[in-house]
Amino acid sequence: MVLPRLPSIRELIKLYGLSAKSQLSQNFILDKNITDKIVRCASLSANVPLVVEVGPGPGLLTRSILDAGVKNMVAVEKDDRFQPTLRQLGEASESRLKVIQGNMLEISHQSILDKAQIDAATSPLHIMGNLPFNVATPLLLQWLHLLAGRQGLFGVSPHGAVMTLMFQKEVGDRLAAKASTGHRGRLAIMAQSLCDVEEVYRVPASVFVPKPKVDASVIQLVPKANPFSDHQDAYLTLENVLRYYFTKRRKTVGHITRRLAKEMPQSKQVLEELEDTLDFKARPEDLTTDQFGEIARRLHENGTIELPL
Ligand code: SAM
């Protein structure tokens, strides 16, 4: 299959006014070697039941995904100026690529699944994207909720969906941060409670057009087998636990836990028992993801979802 010629960088800049749009964080990758490398790092199998690409823009990463032999792909792009190029690519792909114009933060996942004509799969779906940095984190947070409850794109396969996503390097560092390291915070624990998280590719700012101020990293999130026994509520409890502990991150775990016990007398006993398993002298960033998962699990089993602010 021969995909149509991609417009040159000069043509694209003229067509889309790229420099004018830099404030909208439209930083494009126009070097196919780089997009091919991203796809290689994603370890996409040709047998993946569906790849959803978010924010394909002019479609170079899209081409690399198709070149990897993917048979079923949906690209969701908000900006209507890219529709002609993407639709042309869709036609040349012999229906392997379908294009939806829409905002990924608002679109119903069912409409994507309908377009892809898929309702169940044994192996995980794959979500990929080089998104504007201000959209990538809210989207990931939304997806983690859906993953916890195995809903939407994450409910098609019992294994959920693997995500291979580009983030600003600093956000990538925060996502992949291990306990007791500089970038450790709520984001790392939320993501790592549900997924194995790994930086698979560091991308220098120089490969983007226009060039952003900072480097980027491609982060892969592979869902864990049995997060919270598939309980979305337990994940909500975890989020609330993290908010409580990390707004007091300068205090010790013991101080925070005792304060919480005072504020929630109904969970006093559960919280006091934590002293047997947690280092009460540690700070929140020193606890492992499993340890926070254990706090959330115990509180959730005791009927707690909401926590005091
Ligand atoms: N994937 C292309 C690349 O690597 O060159 C484009 C990357 S550019 C950083 C981000 C793309 O996401 C833009 O094409 C933008 O229009 C699109 N986009 C922004 N917000 C979106 C949203 N909420 N839903 C879908 N697409 C979005």
Side-chain angles (χ1 to χ4, degrees):
M1 179 202 64
V2 183
L3 297 175
R5 187 185 73 86
L6 186 74
S8 69
I9 294 180
R10 185 186 293 273
E11 285 167 330
L12 279 168
I13 290 174
K14 211 170 140 206
L15 206 55
Y16 303 118
L18 295 189
S19 48
K21 288 277 167 186
S22 62
Q23 72 275 23
L24 298 180
S25 312
Q26 285 188 327
N27 305 103
F28 302 98
I29 302 178
L30 302 171
D31 178 344
K32 181 107 179 343
N33 292 318
I34 303 284
T35 54
D36 282 349
K37 172 115 195 252
I38 293 173
V39 171
R40 275 200 305 281
C41 292
S43 307
L44 267 187
S45 130
N47 295 326
V48 61
L50 173 66
V51 176
V52 177
E53 190 195 352
V54 187
L60 203 59
L61 180 61
T62 322
R63 285 164 188 261
S64 295
I65 297 170
L66 289 170
D67 285 347
V70 167
K71 296 183 193 71
N72 197 6
M73 173 172 186
V74 174
V76 181
E77 171 57 58
K78 185 174 161 192
D79 190 334
D80 62 358
R81 294 170 307 158
F82 295 115
Q83 291 302 310
T85 316
L86 291 170
R87 291 201 190 283
Q88 201 188 3
L89 197 55
E91 279 158 31
S93 77
E94 290 157 358
S95 303
R96 290 190 295 146
L97 166 70
K98 290 106 188 161
V99 182
I100 298 180
Q101 192 200 338
N103 180 344
M104 191 64 201
L105 279 162
E106 293 165 4
I107 196 170
S108 97
H109 284 199
Q110 191 55 49
S111 66
I112 299 175
L113 297 171
D114 288 348
K115 195 92 174 173
Q117 299 186 323
I118 184 169
D119 53 16
T122 45
S123 35
L125 276 52
H126 207 121
I127 304 177
M128 293 193 70
N130 168 20
L131 284 160
F133 295 137
N134 56 347
V135 176
T137 309
L139 252 185
L140 179 64
L141 294 177
Q142 187 194 85
W143 288 342
L144 291 175
H145 272 274
L146 294 173
L147 172 61
R150 293 293 197 258
Q151 292 169 335
L153 293 175
F154 300 90
V156 175
S157 156
H159 304 288
V162 175
M163 293 163 272
T164 306
L165 308 167
M166 181 94 71
F167 291 94
Q168 231 164 358
K169 185 192 152 295
E170 193 255 330
V171 179
D173 289 346
R174 281 168 49 211
L175 274 166
K178 299 278 174 259
S180 303
T181 62
H183 290 92
R184 183 74 166 176
R186 287 161 56 190
L187 191 61
I189 299 162
M190 284 191 261
Q192 293 170 25
S193 68
L194 298 174
C195 302
D196 291 317
V197 180
E198 196 192 341
E199 179 188 85
V200 290
Y201 186 23
R202 177 72 55 90
V203 191
S206 55
V207 310
F208 295 93
V209 181
K211 182 176 168 226
K213 290 196 181 71
V214 292
D215 291 346
S217 56
V218 179
I219 301 289
Q220 186 159 71
L221 301 102
V222 179
K224 290 181 177 170
N226 193 14
F228 297 115
S229 321
D230 291 357
H231 252 297
Q232 204 165 26
D233 282 353
Y235 181 69
L236 283 179
T237 306
L238 174 69
E239 277 193 332
N240 292 330
V241 165
L242 293 173
R243 187 174 305 114
Y244 191 86
Y245 278 75
F246 277 92
T247 47
K248 303 161 192 61
R249 64 186 304 156
R250 303 272 161 253
K251 308 272 190 227
T252 63
V253 170
H255 176 97
I256 302 169
T257 308
R258 286 189 202 103
R259 180 167 156 185
L260 184 58
K262 263 195 210 142
E263 291 181 316
M264 287 206 322
Q266 72 278 22
S267 300
K268 189 167 183 284
Q269 195 189 338
V270 171
L271 289 163
E272 280 175 358
E273 283 167 9
L274 286 170
E275 193 159 6
D276 300 339
T277 49
L278 299 183
D279 176 2
F280 266 28
K281 293 197 188 68
R283 312 272 160 187
E285 64 264 29
D286 298 319
L287 295 193
T288 64
T289 301
D290 284 351
Q291 286 174 321
F292 268 114
E294 185 61 17
I295 303 176
R297 192 185 59 76
R298 290 196 194 188
L299 284 173
H300 185 255
E301 281 174 5
N302 197 46
T304 300
I305 296 179
E306 300 294 332
L307 266 73
L309 288 176

